[in-house]
Amino acid sequence: MNEVVFPKKADKAVQMAAYMKNLFPFAGIAAPERALLEKELLKASKKMTYTELVDLVRFYYDKPEREYQYVAIDLAIANVKRFSFEEVLGFKPFVIEKAWWDSVDSWRKFFGLWGFQHLEEIPQLFEAFFGEEDFWHRRIAINLQLLYKEKTNTVLLKKAIIYDKTTDEFFVQKAIGWSLRQYSKTDPEWVKTLIETIELSPLAVREGSKYLPKP
């Protein structure tokens, strides 16, 4: 198995780091090129044991350049269908490591994909993130079912929104608005009623109302 090594592209790296508020160093590798460079690794990972895969995710997550964290998450996503509930939760600690919206939302995709294949276990998966002290975990609880459409468990969605409706954290309020905006494409009346009956932040209302019919 070939290790993924990204060549340094200084000018692009500076631009990408600046976009992320210089929180992380970058190699300067755009997503399409990263996908090509990691293709064989993702293929090989599907024959690994769970322990080997977790170790590999850790290996890439510990590297300094941000693109390697993306590789780590891509490895998890590429294998998500073969994990048990306990195994999928084994990746939870990564969410709050080197956390920013890019990595957290990619981990949300990972957990969300698994949950969509195991709808009967969504309540347990949701509870693993709901009410957690770290707001990045709670962001995942809010957006866990982001693309579930008519399969969305609205009881859980409403529970997550109510819990954090007065939280000052921008990324939490943005998550509430994002979840409502997406679900309004499936059930605009449900979203409209929620916004009218629960006092939400102006940001959440503005984002959540984007696709609702104008009065």
Side-chain angles (χ1 to χ4, degrees), residues 104-106 108-113 115-116 119 122 126 139-153 157 161 174-186 211:
V104 173
D105 290 348
S106 293
R108 189 275 312 160
K109 178 181 178 182
F110 167 74
F111 291 107
L113 284 170
F116 194 73
L119 290 174
I122 277 292
F126 171 84
R139 180 175 167 96
I140 288 183
I142 294 165
N143 287 336
L144 181 64
Q145 305 177 83
L146 197 62
L147 301 177
Y148 285 18
K149 298 181 180 180
E150 70 280 354
K151 296 186 184 297
T152 299
N153 184 323
L157 176 58
I161 290 171
K174 192 76 171 178
I176 291 173
W178 190 13
S179 65
L180 291 173
R181 185 174 73 240
Q182 284 299 120
Y183 191 58
S184 73
K185 299 175 184 179
T186 298
Y211 300 134

Side-chain angles (χ1 to χ4, degrees), residues 15-211:
Q15 295 174 15
M16 294 172 75
Y19 180 70
M20 288 293 173
K21 300 185 181 295
N22 293 305
L23 292 171
F24 314 99
F26 277 79
I29 305 300
E33 184 177 359
R34 186 182 85 242
L36 286 174
L37 292 172
E38 70 181 11
K39 183 177 179 180
E40 290 304 315
L41 178 67
L42 297 187
K43 182 178 179 181
S45 73
K46 296 180 181 180
K47 297 180 181 179
M48 295 178 183
T49 66
Y50 175 75
T51 300
E52 290 171 338
L53 184 62
V54 172
D55 288 345
L56 190 61
V57 170
R58 168 54 63 197
F59 172 76
Y60 284 106
Y61 223 78
D62 285 345
K63 286 180 171 289
E65 290 83 8
R66 190 59 165 170
E67 291 92 339
Y68 291 112
Q69 280 98 69
Y70 301 157
V71 172
I73 300 170
D74 288 345
L75 281 164
I77 290 174
N79 289 274
V80 67
K81 291 183 179 179
R82 62 187 179 103
F83 297 141
S84 67
F85 178 73
E86 291 74 20
E87 288 172 337
V88 84
L89 284 187
F91 293 92
K92 180 183 173 183
F94 288 104
V95 172
I96 57 175
E97 290 187 37
K98 303 182 180 181
W100 195 237
W101 63 264
D102 56 335
S103 60
V104 173
D105 290 348
S106 293
W107 281 119
R108 189 275 312 160
K109 178 181 178 182
F110 167 74
F111 291 107
L113 284 170
W114 188 89
F116 194 73
Q117 298 297 319
H118 304 84
L119 290 174
E120 72 284 356
E121 295 190 76
I122 277 292
Q124 296 94 313
L125 183 60
F126 171 84
E127 289 296 335
F129 295 94
F130 172 75
E132 288 285 271
E133 181 178 357
D134 194 288
F135 73 85
W136 290 120
H137 278 149
R138 303 202 310 275
R139 180 175 167 96
I140 288 183
I142 294 165
N143 287 336
L144 181 64
Q145 305 177 83
L146 197 62
L147 301 177
Y148 285 18
K149 298 181 180 180
E150 70 280 354
K151 296 186 184 297
T152 299
N153 184 323
T154 55
V155 173
L156 299 181
L157 176 58
K158 184 176 180 179
K159 181 179 178 180
I161 290 171
I162 290 175
Y163 184 88
D164 266 312
K165 67 186 180 71
T166 60
T167 300
D168 291 336
E169 173 56 52
F170 169 81
F171 287 108
V172 168
Q173 293 302 328
K174 192 76 171 178
I176 291 173
W178 190 13
S179 65
L180 291 173
R181 185 174 73 240
Q182 284 299 120
Y183 191 58
S184 73
K185 299 175 184 179
T186 298
D187 192 343
E189 193 59 37
W190 187 91
V191 173
K192 180 175 180 292
T193 299
L194 186 79
I195 289 175
E196 290 176 347
T197 56
I198 296 174
E199 187 174 352
L200 300 175
S201 72
L203 172 59
V205 172
R206 183 170 67 251
E207 292 288 325
S209 302
K210 185 174 181 180
Y211 300 134

